[in-house]
């Protein structure tokens, strides 16, 4: 099976129909990691491959349950500030933790495994989730090196990507964009899911603190830290939220958790009908958004096409002064 652009939904259907196996999926993704992350463009998105991934997948194939779990056999990467109590290291990308192994798994990892996922490996990141220095390049860690944006591989004379991969969950986002895993887990304190998702054209959800357990994740600020999915589609993100959003006694913030029974039930192909989306009414007005006004012609064309696509799906463009 070609996994390059495969979604979780695609893989679930293929596994259910016996058109592929978990072991075959792991093998396909490992081959892509070898070809594009370790060689070729050397994206450097995967800091470490799980040495037990193939064996775990083979065990899943040989013990098929009567009812498949929601992520049965799906290979997923986790950011390397998320603890895994297995053969992998948990380093936050730091040379200081190069030999570090966690004694207890993060609740996020436990939830993924309980849902049948295969933890494929650990994704590179901005070291310690970008808490070390104000000028740390996005996607750089002393242990893992520099993550590259798969759509713009060029580096400047200092070895920094000309188009950044976003931080700090850069490896997680790049891996999904480049088809190195079916999905990945990142974390955010202030933009570390949203930024790499934007830079690499993938989907994320930045959950409210308390929706997903923080237990076992190297912290920055407990008032803001949260894990979240990085996927190819909105449906895949909802599928991961179904698995990850649970109350956890190890994280007091989750005590008051409220969530729908099924996040995918809220997906609606007509959901944009009647929506009002604000756009700057006069790009030449310096009072408008400072990024929108000076857009170069190519980017301005992309914005016009985007607005047209949204309108075609039922949205209404709102340009009156004061509307946002």
């Amino acid at each position: 099976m070609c996994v390059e652009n495969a979604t979780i939904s695609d893989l679930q259907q293929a596994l259910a129909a016996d058109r592929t196996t978990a072991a075959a999926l792991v093998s396909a993704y490992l081959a892509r990691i070898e070809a594009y992350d370790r060689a070729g463009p050397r994206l450097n998105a995967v800091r470490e491959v799980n040495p037990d991934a193939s064996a775990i997948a083979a065990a899943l194939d040989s013990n098929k349950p009567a009812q498949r779990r929601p992520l049965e056999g799906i290979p997923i990467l986790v950011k390397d500030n998320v603890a895994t109590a297995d053969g992998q290291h948990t380093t936050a990308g730091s040379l200081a933790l190069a030999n570090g192994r966690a004694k207890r798994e993060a609740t996020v990892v436990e939830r993924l495994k309980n849902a049948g996922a295969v933890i494929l490996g650990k994704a590179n990141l901005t070291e310690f989730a970008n808490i070390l220095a104000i000028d740390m390049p996005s996607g750089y860690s002393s242990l893992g090196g520099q993550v590259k944006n798969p759509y713009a591989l060029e580096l400047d004379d200092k070895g920094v990507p000309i188009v950044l991969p976003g931080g700090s969950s850069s490896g997680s986002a790049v891996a999904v964009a480049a088809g190195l895993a079916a999905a990945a887990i990142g974390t955010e304190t202030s933009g570390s899911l949203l930024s790499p998702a934007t830079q690499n054209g993938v989907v994320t959800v930045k959950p409210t603190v308390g929706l997903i357990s923080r237990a076992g994740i190297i912290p920055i600020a407990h008032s803001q830290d949260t894990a979240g999915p990085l996927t190819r589609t909105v449906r895949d993100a909802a599928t991961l939220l179904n698995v990850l959003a649970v109350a956890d006694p190890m994280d007091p913030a989750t005590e008051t958790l409220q969530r729908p029974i099924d996040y995918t039930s809220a997906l609606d192909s007509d959901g944009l009908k009647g929506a009002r989306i604000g756009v700057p009414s006069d790009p030449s007005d310096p009072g408008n958004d400072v990024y929108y006004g000076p857009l170069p012609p190519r980017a301005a064309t992309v914005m016009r096409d985007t607005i047209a696509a949204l309108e075609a799906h039922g949205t209404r463009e709102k340009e009156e002064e004061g509307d946002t």
Side-chain angles (χ1 to χ4, degrees), residues 202-286:
V202 297
V203 175
T204 193
V205 176
K206 192 279 184 184
T208 301
V209 172
L211 185 66
I212 294 176
S213 174
R214 303 162 296 175
I217 299 174
I218 297 173
I220 294 180
H222 279 293
S223 60
Q224 294 175 243
D225 289 347
T226 184
L230 286 152
T231 63
R232 301 188 71 83
T233 66
V234 174
R235 177 171 291 279
D236 283 0
T239 297
L240 284 181
L241 284 181
N242 278 341
V243 170
L244 300 177
V246 294
D248 177 16
M250 298 292 292
D251 184 356
T254 65
E255 290 179 359
T256 58
L257 181 147
Q258 297 183 25
R259 53 157 291 179
I261 295 175
D262 179 6
Y263 280 99
T264 65
S265 66
L267 300 178
D268 181 4
S269 59
D270 294 324
L272 287 175
K273 286 187 176 179
R276 295 194 307 169
I277 297 178
V279 298
S281 58
D282 182 4
S284 65
D285 182 352

Side-chain angles (χ1 to χ4, degrees), residues 3 25-50 53 75-78 88 119-123 171 174-176 178-183:
V3 298
L25 293 180
V26 167
S27 178
Y29 283 120
L30 290 178
R32 288 189 62 80
I33 290 170
E34 186 63 32
Y36 301 108
D37 202 65
R38 304 295 191 253
R42 296 186 181 275
L43 297 175
N44 213 27
V46 182
R47 200 204 57 74
E48 180 178 11
V49 167
N50 184 355
I76 293 178
L77 289 167
V78 298
Q88 302 175 92
I119 305 302
L120 188 63
K122 307 297 279 289
V174 168
V176 174
L180 308 182

Side-chain angles (χ1 to χ4, degrees), residues 122-140:
K122 307 297 279 289
N124 200 2
L125 69 160
T126 312
E127 188 167 345
F128 276 107
N130 202 23
I131 195 61
L132 290 182
I134 59 173
D135 57 352
M136 178 79 75
S138 293
Y140 174 81

Side-chain angles (χ1 to χ4, degrees), residues 5 7 20 37 72 76 102 105 139 158 194-195 205 243 283 287:
N5 295 310
T7 66
T20 191
D37 202 65
E72 191 83 29
I76 293 178
E105 285 187 327
K158 295 181 180 179
L194 298 173
S195 168
V205 176
V243 170

